[in-house]
């Protein structure tokens, strides 16, 4: 765990006996609310941040930002009378993600999305593209947050933002889980809209990730205007490798892993 705020560390807390093990909670937010009032003179505004599309071959990278009032998060009716809890979007079915995306905007006290295009990713690298997408999301919130919870162990936001990095925050923080769902649903819909204009690439199913259909279409028809041309997949496509864009090697210094 990387903690960009000195003195703020994640506590080990046992789960409630009857808690859904997949449900995101407020432990990280509670620690921040306990630590920051002395610095700010008031309770902090906390935003959860999560990205989607980092490892895709096509489409933008999208960052979601979400702010809650620390109230009980919404749930969905599940099988056998059980409740489907809000958690990391990857752990939810598409149907449940879509359902949460409908109710979260009315429940959250603030939410926004930001994105960076394939052209920006090619020109700037993923780290800077993520930073720009995140700042666009944060600046679109109704009020600027005092601290941001980032999913992962790398602070790609940097100064002047106060950042708390937490591995698997999308499974542990309600704020980050909500941002994860909103970003995922938004990007999936965007990629599905491209499917009609570029049939065969499987954008509606794979969202620009390297599925077998996507790889076959690339080999036969080459990249679309929505593909990232600095990605190494082009090196494996003899007919299209001349389209590969190469950045200055120094521009890749400090880049985040795509995995």
């Amino acid at each position: 765990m990387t903690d960009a705020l000195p003195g703020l560390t994640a506590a080990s807390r046992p789960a409630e006996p009857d808690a859904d093990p997949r449900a995101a909670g407020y432990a990280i937010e509670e620690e921040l609310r306990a630590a920051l009032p002395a610095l700010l003179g008031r309770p902090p505004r906390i935003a959860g941040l999560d990205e989607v599309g980092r490892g895709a071959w096509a489409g933008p990278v999208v960052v979601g930002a979400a702010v809650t009032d620390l109230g009980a998060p919404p749930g969905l009716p599940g099988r056998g009378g059980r409740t489907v809890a809000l958690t990391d979007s990857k752990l939810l079915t598409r149907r449940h993600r879509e359902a949460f995306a409908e109710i979260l905007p009315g429940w959250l006290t603030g939410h926004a999305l930001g994105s960076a295009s394939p052209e920006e990713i090619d020109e700037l690298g993923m780290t800077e593209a993520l930073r720009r997408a995140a700042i666009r999301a944060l600046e679109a919130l109704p009020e600027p947050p005092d601290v941001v919870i980032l999913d992962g162990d790398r602070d790609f936001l940097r100064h002047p933002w106060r950042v708390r990095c937490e591995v698997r925050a999308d499974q542990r923080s309600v704020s980050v889980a909500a941002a994860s769902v909103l970003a995922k649903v938004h990007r999936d819909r965007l990629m599905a809209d491209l499917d009609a204009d570029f049939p065969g690439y499987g954008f509606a199913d794979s969202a620009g990730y390297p599925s077998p259909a996507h790889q076959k279409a690339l080999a036969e028809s080459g990249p679309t205007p929505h593909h990232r041309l600095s990605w190494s997949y082009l090196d494996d496509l003899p007919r299209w490798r001349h389209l590969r864009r190469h950045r200055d090697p120094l521009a890749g210094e400090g880049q985040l892993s795509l995995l």
Side-chain angles (χ1 to χ4, degrees):
M1 185 273 290
T2 298
D3 189 347
L5 288 173
L8 298 181
T9 57
S12 258
R13 302 187 180 187
E16 296 294 332
D18 57 349
D20 182 341
R22 302 194 330 160
Y26 279 122
I28 301 171
E29 287 91 338
E30 287 171 355
E31 289 169 13
L32 293 171
R33 281 175 63 88
L36 286 174
L39 177 66
L40 300 173
R42 57 173 170 77
R45 290 187 294 270
I46 303 169
L49 215 67
D50 201 15
E51 57 78 22
V52 63
R54 181 186 297 180
W57 288 1
V61 62
V62 174
V63 174
V67 180
T68 86
D69 63 2
L70 273 67
L76 300 173
R79 293 180 179 177
R82 300 183 64 185
T83 298
V84 177
L86 178 62
T87 188
D88 172 15
S89 63
K90 297 184 293 295
L91 299 179
L92 297 168
T93 65
R94 175 175 291 193
R95 180 170 65 88
H96 289 147
R97 285 196 301 267
E98 294 275 354
F100 272 122
E102 292 299 316
I103 60 178
L104 282 172
W107 176 75
L108 293 165
T109 60
H111 68 281
L113 296 165
S115 65
S117 68
E119 293 81 7
E120 288 179 287
I121 295 169
D122 287 336
E123 178 183 354
L124 303 169
M126 182 54 74
T127 302
E128 179 61 19
L130 271 174
R131 189 181 76 86
R132 294 192 179 192
I135 290 173
R136 288 163 186 163
L138 292 171
E139 290 181 342
L141 289 171
E143 293 184 282
D146 297 306
V147 61
V148 178
I149 303 172
L150 277 184
D151 180 34
D153 62 358
R154 296 284 298 275
D155 175 11
F156 56 78
L157 268 175
R158 304 188 300 276
H159 183 77
W161 303 94
R162 292 188 184 93
V163 173
R164 169 71 170 263
C165 294
E166 286 284 348
V167 175
R168 294 192 300 277
D170 48 8
Q171 299 177 37
R172 300 171 51 218
S173 160
V174 171
S175 307
V176 178
S180 168
V181 169
L182 293 176
K184 172 68 172 167
V185 170
H186 173 80
R187 188 178 185 279
D188 282 354
R189 289 173 178 172
L190 186 155
M191 296 306 296
D193 287 343
L194 296 179
D195 201 67
D197 294 329
F198 301 96
Y201 289 84
F203 288 156
D205 297 318
S206 68
Y209 284 82
S211 67
H214 188 178
Q215 295 180 66
K216 182 174 183 291
L218 271 171
E220 294 175 353
S221 304
T224 72
H226 302 280
H227 277 85
R228 303 169 187 181
L229 299 182
S230 57
W231 257 222
S232 61
Y233 68 83
L234 281 169
D235 292 339
D236 298 324
L237 301 172
R239 291 176 59 192
W240 313 106
R241 63 170 59 127
H242 66 284
L243 298 175
R244 173 87 188 273
R245 289 187 57 181
H246 296 274
R247 293 190 306 274
D248 182 332
L250 295 179
E253 186 176 353
Q255 291 294 314
L256 298 180
S257 167
L258 299 180
L259 300 179

